[in-house]
Amino acid sequence: MFRRAFWFTAGAAAGVWATTKVNRQLKKLTPESLAAQAADKAIEAGHRLKDFALDVKSGMSQREDELNDALGLHQDPELPTNVTALPGPRRLRAIEHDQNTNRSTVTYNRNEDH
């Protein structure tokens, strides 16, 4: 008699447990729940992309500063913030070279190729 009562109780408990599990899974598969899960994943992915972009941007500016220091390029207060000037001697040589170049125009006659 106790054996039957035990197995009856065990079966009833297993049935309740299984029904609860199935109902939870079914609620997770409703369209509203799936949409909410997708939205949460999209927001999470957006935050990860934003963090990645910020890391890349900081790395780029750090590397740019390292290269500017290595090349001797410094910020000129007279220039806008997005333009870097050549250091003094190089800048003067570049300006002199630009003024000294022969600006004569060379005409090209296509008939000479034949």
Side-chain angles (χ1 to χ4, degrees), residues 58-90:
S58 67
M60 283 176 22
S61 81
Q62 178 185 0
R63 181 65 178 149
E64 184 178 3
D65 292 341
E66 291 172 0
L67 290 173
N68 285 340
D69 289 342
L71 294 174
L73 299 175
H74 301 286
Q75 206 57 21
D76 189 356
E78 298 173 2
L79 295 175
T81 58
N82 61 350
V83 177
T84 55
L86 289 172
R90 290 184 192 173

PDB file of all heavy atoms in Angstrom, residues 58-90:
ATOM      1  N   SER A  58      40.751  55.510 -30.065  1.00  0.00           N
ATOM      2  CA  SER A  58      41.807  55.884 -29.122  1.00  0.00           C
ATOM      3  C   SER A  58      43.152  55.320 -29.569  1.00  0.00           C
ATOM      4  O   SER A  58      44.182  55.987 -29.447  1.00  0.00           O
ATOM      5  CB  SER A  58      41.467  55.415 -27.710  1.00  0.00           C
ATOM      6  OG  SER A  58      41.487  54.008 -27.642  1.00  0.00           O
ATOM      7  N   GLY A  59      43.154  54.107 -30.107  1.00  0.00           N
ATOM      8  CA  GLY A  59      44.392  53.533 -30.623  1.00  0.00           C
ATOM      9  C   GLY A  59      44.938  54.317 -31.805  1.00  0.00           C
ATOM     10  O   GLY A  59      46.153  54.502 -31.938  1.00  0.00           O
ATOM     11  N   MET A  60      44.032  54.774 -32.666  1.00  0.00           N
ATOM     12  CA  MET A  60      44.468  55.566 -33.821  1.00  0.00           C
ATOM     13  C   MET A  60      45.094  56.881 -33.374  1.00  0.00           C
ATOM     14  O   MET A  60      46.136  57.286 -33.895  1.00  0.00           O
ATOM     15  CB  MET A  60      43.285  55.842 -34.752  1.00  0.00           C
ATOM     16  CG  MET A  60      42.877  54.679 -35.603  1.00  0.00           C
ATOM     17  SD  MET A  60      41.411  54.922 -36.637  1.00  0.00           S
ATOM     18  CE  MET A  60      41.239  56.645 -36.813  1.00  0.00           C
ATOM     19  N   SER A  61      44.463  57.558 -32.418  1.00  0.00           N
ATOM     20  CA  SER A  61      45.019  58.841 -31.984  1.00  0.00           C
ATOM     21  C   SER A  61      46.343  58.637 -31.253  1.00  0.00           C
ATOM     22  O   SER A  61      47.269  59.437 -31.413  1.00  0.00           O
ATOM     23  CB  SER A  61      44.027  59.600 -31.116  1.00  0.00           C
ATOM     24  OG  SER A  61      44.037  59.139 -29.811  1.00  0.00           O
ATOM     25  N   GLN A  62      46.460  57.558 -30.488  1.00  0.00           N
ATOM     26  CA  GLN A  62      47.717  57.269 -29.811  1.00  0.00           C
ATOM     27  C   GLN A  62      48.816  57.004 -30.828  1.00  0.00           C
ATOM     28  O   GLN A  62      49.924  57.535 -30.722  1.00  0.00           O
ATOM     29  CB  GLN A  62      47.560  56.073 -28.884  1.00  0.00           C
ATOM     30  CG  GLN A  62      48.834  55.682 -28.174  1.00  0.00           C
ATOM     31  CD  GLN A  62      48.668  54.419 -27.346  1.00  0.00           C
ATOM     32  OE1 GLN A  62      47.601  53.823 -27.297  1.00  0.00           O
ATOM     33  NE2 GLN A  62      49.739  54.009 -26.701  1.00  0.00           N
ATOM     34  N   ARG A  63      48.502  56.203 -31.841  1.00  0.00           N
ATOM     35  CA  ARG A  63      49.504  55.893 -32.871  1.00  0.00           C
ATOM     36  C   ARG A  63      49.846  57.141 -33.675  1.00  0.00           C
ATOM     37  O   ARG A  63      51.009  57.345 -34.047  1.00  0.00           O
ATOM     38  CB  ARG A  63      48.971  54.789 -33.792  1.00  0.00           C
ATOM     39  CG  ARG A  63      49.936  54.375 -34.861  1.00  0.00           C
ATOM     40  CD  ARG A  63      51.174  53.741 -34.278  1.00  0.00           C
ATOM     41  NE  ARG A  63      52.055  53.313 -35.359  1.00  0.00           N
ATOM     42  CZ  ARG A  63      53.365  53.271 -35.264  1.00  0.00           C
ATOM     43  NH1 ARG A  63      53.950  53.572 -34.135  1.00  0.00           N
ATOM     44  NH2 ARG A  63      54.087  52.894 -36.291  1.00  0.00           N
ATOM     45  N   GLU A  64      48.865  57.995 -33.940  1.00  0.00           N
ATOM     46  CA  GLU A  64      49.133  59.235 -34.663  1.00  0.00           C
ATOM     47  C   GLU A  64      50.072  60.128 -33.864  1.00  0.00           C
ATOM     48  O   GLU A  64      50.995  60.730 -34.426  1.00  0.00           O
ATOM     49  CB  GLU A  64      47.819  59.955 -34.951  1.00  0.00           C
ATOM     50  CG  GLU A  64      47.996  61.208 -35.780  1.00  0.00           C
ATOM     51  CD  GLU A  64      46.681  61.885 -36.087  1.00  0.00           C
ATOM     52  OE1 GLU A  64      45.624  61.413 -35.615  1.00  0.00           O
ATOM     53  OE2 GLU A  64      46.724  62.893 -36.800  1.00  0.00           O
ATOM     54  N   ASP A  65      49.853  60.213 -32.552  1.00  0.00           N
ATOM     55  CA  ASP A  65      50.751  61.001 -31.705  1.00  0.00           C
ATOM     56  C   ASP A  65      52.163  60.424 -31.716  1.00  0.00           C
ATOM     57  O   ASP A  65      53.149  61.169 -31.786  1.00  0.00           O
ATOM     58  CB  ASP A  65      50.227  61.059 -30.273  1.00  0.00           C
ATOM     59  CG  ASP A  65      48.942  61.865 -30.144  1.00  0.00           C
ATOM     60  OD1 ASP A  65      48.661  62.674 -31.062  1.00  0.00           O
ATOM     61  OD2 ASP A  65      48.232  61.673 -29.138  1.00  0.00           O
ATOM     62  N   GLU A  66      52.279  59.091 -31.655  1.00  0.00           N
ATOM     63  CA  GLU A  66      53.594  58.457 -31.713  1.00  0.00           C
ATOM     64  C   GLU A  66      54.300  58.765 -33.029  1.00  0.00           C
ATOM     65  O   GLU A  66      55.494  59.085 -33.055  1.00  0.00           O
ATOM     66  CB  GLU A  66      53.460  56.947 -31.551  1.00  0.00           C
ATOM     67  CG  GLU A  66      53.037  56.496 -30.173  1.00  0.00           C
ATOM     68  CD  GLU A  66      52.729  55.013 -30.108  1.00  0.00           C
ATOM     69  OE1 GLU A  66      52.850  54.325 -31.145  1.00  0.00           O
ATOM     70  OE2 GLU A  66      52.352  54.530 -29.023  1.00  0.00           O
ATOM     71  N   LEU A  67      53.566  58.666 -34.141  1.00  0.00           N
ATOM     72  CA  LEU A  67      54.166  58.960 -35.447  1.00  0.00           C
ATOM     73  C   LEU A  67      54.538  60.432 -35.577  1.00  0.00           C
ATOM     74  O   LEU A  67      55.588  60.756 -36.135  1.00  0.00           O
ATOM     75  CB  LEU A  67      53.211  58.548 -36.564  1.00  0.00           C
ATOM     76  CG  LEU A  67      53.008  57.051 -36.750  1.00  0.00           C
ATOM     77  CD1 LEU A  67      51.913  56.796 -37.767  1.00  0.00           C
ATOM     78  CD2 LEU A  67      54.298  56.389 -37.185  1.00  0.00           C
ATOM     79  N   ASN A  68      53.685  61.326 -35.073  1.00  0.00           N
ATOM     80  CA  ASN A  68      54.020  62.757 -35.124  1.00  0.00           C
ATOM     81  C   ASN A  68      55.272  63.054 -34.320  1.00  0.00           C
ATOM     82  O   ASN A  68      56.113  63.845 -34.739  1.00  0.00           O
ATOM     83  CB  ASN A  68      52.845  63.589 -34.611  1.00  0.00           C
ATOM     84  CG  ASN A  68      51.720  63.678 -35.612  1.00  0.00           C
ATOM     85  OD1 ASN A  68      51.914  63.449 -36.808  1.00  0.00           O
ATOM     86  ND2 ASN A  68      50.536  64.002 -35.138  1.00  0.00           N
ATOM     87  N   ASP A  69      55.413  62.415 -33.162  1.00  0.00           N
ATOM     88  CA  ASP A  69      56.631  62.612 -32.367  1.00  0.00           C
ATOM     89  C   ASP A  69      57.848  62.048 -33.088  1.00  0.00           C
ATOM     90  O   ASP A  69      58.917  62.658 -33.092  1.00  0.00           O
ATOM     91  CB  ASP A  69      56.495  61.949 -30.999  1.00  0.00           C
ATOM     92  CG  ASP A  69      55.516  62.678 -30.095  1.00  0.00           C
ATOM     93  OD1 ASP A  69      55.207  63.858 -30.380  1.00  0.00           O
ATOM     94  OD2 ASP A  69      55.066  62.066 -29.108  1.00  0.00           O
ATOM     95  N   ALA A  70      57.692  60.883 -33.705  1.00  0.00           N
ATOM     96  CA  ALA A  70      58.822  60.268 -34.400  1.00  0.00           C
ATOM     97  C   ALA A  70      59.236  61.073 -35.625  1.00  0.00           C
ATOM     98  O   ALA A  70      60.420  61.168 -35.947  1.00  0.00           O
ATOM     99  CB  ALA A  70      58.462  58.841 -34.810  1.00  0.00           C
ATOM    100  N   LEU A  71      58.275  61.676 -36.316  1.00  0.00           N
ATOM    101  CA  LEU A  71      58.585  62.442 -37.526  1.00  0.00           C
ATOM    102  C   LEU A  71      58.879  63.903 -37.241  1.00  0.00           C
ATOM    103  O   LEU A  71      59.276  64.643 -38.131  1.00  0.00           O
ATOM    104  CB  LEU A  71      57.425  62.343 -38.517  1.00  0.00           C
ATOM    105  CG  LEU A  71      57.162  60.955 -39.086  1.00  0.00           C
ATOM    106  CD1 LEU A  71      55.901  60.962 -39.921  1.00  0.00           C
ATOM    107  CD2 LEU A  71      58.345  60.497 -39.919  1.00  0.00           C
ATOM    108  N   GLY A  72      58.670  64.326 -36.015  1.00  0.00           N
ATOM    109  CA  GLY A  72      58.938  65.714 -35.669  1.00  0.00           C
ATOM    110  C   GLY A  72      57.840  66.649 -36.130  1.00  0.00           C
ATOM    111  O   GLY A  72      58.064  67.843 -36.290  1.00  0.00           O
ATOM    112  N   LEU A  73      56.662  66.140 -36.370  1.00  0.00           N
ATOM    113  CA  LEU A  73      55.544  66.992 -36.769  1.00  0.00           C
ATOM    114  C   LEU A  73      54.868  67.517 -35.514  1.00  0.00           C
ATOM    115  O   LEU A  73      54.555  66.773 -34.597  1.00  0.00           O
ATOM    116  CB  LEU A  73      54.528  66.200 -37.596  1.00  0.00           C
ATOM    117  CG  LEU A  73      55.054  65.621 -38.902  1.00  0.00           C
ATOM    118  CD1 LEU A  73      53.991  64.781 -39.550  1.00  0.00           C
ATOM    119  CD2 LEU A  73      55.482  66.729 -39.831  1.00  0.00           C
ATOM    120  N   HIS A  74      54.663  68.823 -35.490  1.00  0.00           N
ATOM    121  CA  HIS A  74      54.045  69.428 -34.321  1.00  0.00           C
ATOM    122  C   HIS A  74      52.889  70.293 -34.768  1.00  0.00           C
ATOM    123  O   HIS A  74      52.840  70.773 -35.900  1.00  0.00           O
ATOM    124  CB  HIS A  74      55.062  70.267 -33.537  1.00  0.00           C
ATOM    125  CG  HIS A  74      56.235  69.453 -33.084  1.00  0.00           C
ATOM    126  ND1 HIS A  74      56.142  68.559 -32.052  1.00  0.00           N
ATOM    127  CD2 HIS A  74      57.502  69.379 -33.541  1.00  0.00           C
ATOM    128  CE1 HIS A  74      57.319  67.978 -31.880  1.00  0.00           C
ATOM    129  NE2 HIS A  74      58.161  68.454 -32.782  1.00  0.00           N
ATOM    130  N   GLN A  75      52.002  70.537 -33.860  1.00  0.00           N
ATOM    131  CA  GLN A  75      50.823  71.339 -34.145  1.00  0.00           C
ATOM    132  C   GLN A  75      51.213  72.813 -34.178  1.00  0.00           C
ATOM    133  O   GLN A  75      51.859  73.323 -33.278  1.00  0.00           O
ATOM    134  CB  GLN A  75      49.795  71.064 -33.044  1.00  0.00           C
ATOM    135  CG  GLN A  75      48.368  71.253 -33.376  1.00  0.00           C
ATOM    136  CD  GLN A  75      47.872  70.442 -34.552  1.00  0.00           C
ATOM    137  OE1 GLN A  75      48.429  69.444 -34.952  1.00  0.00           O
ATOM    138  NE2 GLN A  75      46.808  70.904 -35.111  1.00  0.00           N
ATOM    139  N   ASP A  76      50.838  73.540 -35.246  1.00  0.00           N
ATOM    140  CA  ASP A  76      51.104  74.966 -35.377  1.00  0.00           C
ATOM    141  C   ASP A  76      49.874  75.720 -34.872  1.00  0.00           C
ATOM    142  O   ASP A  76      48.773  75.480 -35.349  1.00  0.00           O
ATOM    143  CB  ASP A  76      51.379  75.307 -36.845  1.00  0.00           C
ATOM    144  CG  ASP A  76      51.884  76.727 -37.030  1.00  0.00           C
ATOM    145  OD1 ASP A  76      51.955  77.467 -36.038  1.00  0.00           O
ATOM    146  OD2 ASP A  76      52.199  77.093 -38.180  1.00  0.00           O
ATOM    147  N   PRO A  77      50.027  76.648 -33.923  1.00  0.00           N
ATOM    148  CA  PRO A  77      48.846  77.333 -33.386  1.00  0.00           C
ATOM    149  C   PRO A  77      48.105  78.174 -34.424  1.00  0.00           C
ATOM    150  O   PRO A  77      46.942  78.474 -34.255  1.00  0.00           O
ATOM    151  CB  PRO A  77      49.404  78.210 -32.268  1.00  0.00           C
ATOM    152  CG  PRO A  77      50.863  78.131 -32.331  1.00  0.00           C
ATOM    153  CD  PRO A  77      51.243  77.039 -33.268  1.00  0.00           C
ATOM    154  N   GLU A  78      48.798  78.572 -35.519  1.00  0.00           N
ATOM    155  CA  GLU A  78      48.150  79.388 -36.542  1.00  0.00           C
ATOM    156  C   GLU A  78      47.253  78.553 -37.455  1.00  0.00           C
ATOM    157  O   GLU A  78      46.358  79.079 -38.090  1.00  0.00           O
ATOM    158  CB  GLU A  78      49.207  80.094 -37.393  1.00  0.00           C
ATOM    159  CG  GLU A  78      50.075  81.042 -36.586  1.00  0.00           C
ATOM    160  CD  GLU A  78      51.221  81.587 -37.411  1.00  0.00           C
ATOM    161  OE1 GLU A  78      51.304  81.245 -38.600  1.00  0.00           O
ATOM    162  OE2 GLU A  78      52.022  82.353 -36.862  1.00  0.00           O
ATOM    163  N   LEU A  79      47.494  77.247 -37.512  1.00  0.00           N
ATOM    164  CA  LEU A  79      46.729  76.386 -38.404  1.00  0.00           C
ATOM    165  C   LEU A  79      45.510  75.825 -37.685  1.00  0.00           C
ATOM    166  O   LEU A  79      45.482  75.743 -36.459  1.00  0.00           O
ATOM    167  CB  LEU A  79      47.610  75.235 -38.891  1.00  0.00           C
ATOM    168  CG  LEU A  79      48.800  75.622 -39.760  1.00  0.00           C
ATOM    169  CD1 LEU A  79      49.631  74.397 -40.052  1.00  0.00           C
ATOM    170  CD2 LEU A  79      48.346  76.268 -41.044  1.00  0.00           C
ATOM    171  N   PRO A  80      44.489  75.430 -38.442  1.00  0.00           N
ATOM    172  CA  PRO A  80      43.351  74.757 -37.798  1.00  0.00           C
ATOM    173  C   PRO A  80      43.806  73.478 -37.109  1.00  0.00           C
ATOM    174  O   PRO A  80      44.878  72.948 -37.399  1.00  0.00           O
ATOM    175  CB  PRO A  80      42.417  74.432 -38.968  1.00  0.00           C
ATOM    176  CG  PRO A  80      42.864  75.286 -40.097  1.00  0.00           C
ATOM    177  CD  PRO A  80      44.306  75.606 -39.856  1.00  0.00           C
ATOM    178  N   THR A  81      42.996  72.962 -36.224  1.00  0.00           N
ATOM    179  CA  THR A  81      43.397  71.815 -35.410  1.00  0.00           C
ATOM    180  C   THR A  81      43.571  70.542 -36.219  1.00  0.00           C
ATOM    181  O   THR A  81      44.265  69.637 -35.796  1.00  0.00           O
ATOM    182  CB  THR A  81      42.360  71.554 -34.316  1.00  0.00           C
ATOM    183  OG1 THR A  81      41.091  71.337 -34.932  1.00  0.00           O
ATOM    184  CG2 THR A  81      42.292  72.709 -33.340  1.00  0.00           C
ATOM    185  N   ASN A  82      42.970  70.441 -37.392  1.00  0.00           N
ATOM    186  CA  ASN A  82      43.082  69.209 -38.157  1.00  0.00           C
ATOM    187  C   ASN A  82      44.236  69.232 -39.159  1.00  0.00           C
ATOM    188  O   ASN A  82      44.399  68.307 -39.923  1.00  0.00           O
ATOM    189  CB  ASN A  82      41.765  68.907 -38.880  1.00  0.00           C
ATOM    190  CG  ASN A  82      41.390  70.001 -39.860  1.00  0.00           C
ATOM    191  OD1 ASN A  82      41.988  71.065 -39.877  1.00  0.00           O
ATOM    192  ND2 ASN A  82      40.392  69.728 -40.671  1.00  0.00           N
ATOM    193  N   VAL A  83      45.054  70.309 -39.162  1.00  0.00           N
ATOM    194  CA  VAL A  83      46.179  70.406 -40.090  1.00  0.00           C
ATOM    195  C   VAL A  83      47.462  70.459 -39.278  1.00  0.00           C
ATOM    196  O   VAL A  83      47.577  71.244 -38.350  1.00  0.00           O
ATOM    197  CB  VAL A  83      46.056  71.678 -40.969  1.00  0.00           C
ATOM    198  CG1 VAL A  83      47.256  71.813 -41.880  1.00  0.00           C
ATOM    199  CG2 VAL A  83      44.772  71.656 -41.753  1.00  0.00           C
ATOM    200  N   THR A  84      48.423  69.614 -39.624  1.00  0.00           N
ATOM    201  CA  THR A  84      49.708  69.660 -38.940  1.00  0.00           C
ATOM    202  C   THR A  84      50.735  70.304 -39.859  1.00  0.00           C
ATOM    203  O   THR A  84      50.698  70.128 -41.079  1.00  0.00           O
ATOM    204  CB  THR A  84      50.179  68.251 -38.562  1.00  0.00           C
ATOM    205  OG1 THR A  84      50.209  67.452 -39.735  1.00  0.00           O
ATOM    206  CG2 THR A  84      49.247  67.630 -37.538  1.00  0.00           C
ATOM    207  N   ALA A  85      51.635  71.061 -39.278  1.00  0.00           N
ATOM    208  CA  ALA A  85      52.646  71.773 -40.044  1.00  0.00           C
ATOM    209  C   ALA A  85      53.961  71.021 -39.981  1.00  0.00           C
ATOM    210  O   ALA A  85      54.254  70.334 -39.008  1.00  0.00           O
ATOM    211  CB  ALA A  85      52.833  73.178 -39.488  1.00  0.00           C
ATOM    212  N   LEU A  86      54.739  71.170 -41.038  1.00  0.00           N
ATOM    213  CA  LEU A  86      56.084  70.624 -41.019  1.00  0.00           C
ATOM    214  C   LEU A  86      56.934  71.450 -40.067  1.00  0.00           C
ATOM    215  O   LEU A  86      56.684  72.628 -39.867  1.00  0.00           O
ATOM    216  CB  LEU A  86      56.694  70.664 -42.420  1.00  0.00           C
ATOM    217  CG  LEU A  86      56.113  69.699 -43.446  1.00  0.00           C
ATOM    218  CD1 LEU A  86      56.687  70.009 -44.816  1.00  0.00           C
ATOM    219  CD2 LEU A  86      56.417  68.278 -43.079  1.00  0.00           C
ATOM    220  N   PRO A  87      57.947  70.845 -39.472  1.00  0.00           N
ATOM    221  CA  PRO A  87      58.843  71.628 -38.621  1.00  0.00           C
ATOM    222  C   PRO A  87      59.561  72.690 -39.439  1.00  0.00           C
ATOM    223  O   PRO A  87      59.637  72.604 -40.658  1.00  0.00           O
ATOM    224  CB  PRO A  87      59.810  70.600 -38.074  1.00  0.00           C
ATOM    225  CG  PRO A  87      59.380  69.283 -38.546  1.00  0.00           C
ATOM    226  CD  PRO A  87      58.259  69.464 -39.495  1.00  0.00           C
ATOM    227  N   GLY A  88      60.098  73.665 -38.744  1.00  0.00           N
ATOM    228  CA  GLY A  88      60.691  74.834 -39.366  1.00  0.00           C
ATOM    229  C   GLY A  88      61.563  74.578 -40.586  1.00  0.00           C
ATOM    230  O   GLY A  88      61.229  75.006 -41.687  1.00  0.00           O
ATOM    231  N   PRO A  89      62.713  73.886 -40.457  1.00  0.00           N
ATOM    232  CA  PRO A  89      63.598  73.720 -41.611  1.00  0.00           C
ATOM    233  C   PRO A  89      62.937  72.963 -42.762  1.00  0.00           C
ATOM    234  O   PRO A  89      63.102  73.335 -43.921  1.00  0.00           O
ATOM    235  CB  PRO A  89      64.778  72.932 -41.045  1.00  0.00           C
ATOM    236  CG  PRO A  89      64.752  73.151 -39.582  1.00  0.00           C
ATOM    237  CD  PRO A  89      63.317  73.364 -39.231  1.00  0.00           C
ATOM    238  N   ARG A  90      62.223  71.929 -42.463  1.00  0.00           N
ATOM    239  CA  ARG A  90      61.569  71.180 -43.531  1.00  0.00           C
ATOM    240  C   ARG A  90      60.509  72.027 -44.220  1.00  0.00           C
ATOM    241  O   ARG A  90      60.347  71.984 -45.425  1.00  0.00           O
ATOM    242  CB  ARG A  90      60.910  69.919 -42.982  1.00  0.00           C
ATOM    243  CG  ARG A  90      61.869  68.873 -42.531  1.00  0.00           C
ATOM    244  CD  ARG A  90      61.104  67.662 -42.114  1.00  0.00           C
ATOM    245  NE  ARG A  90      61.943  66.715 -41.417  1.00  0.00           N
ATOM    246  CZ  ARG A  90      61.490  65.631 -40.821  1.00  0.00           C
ATOM    247  NH1 ARG A  90      60.212  65.364 -40.833  1.00  0.00           N
ATOM    248  NH2 ARG A  90      62.307  64.818 -40.205  1.00  0.00           N
TER     249      ARG A  90
END
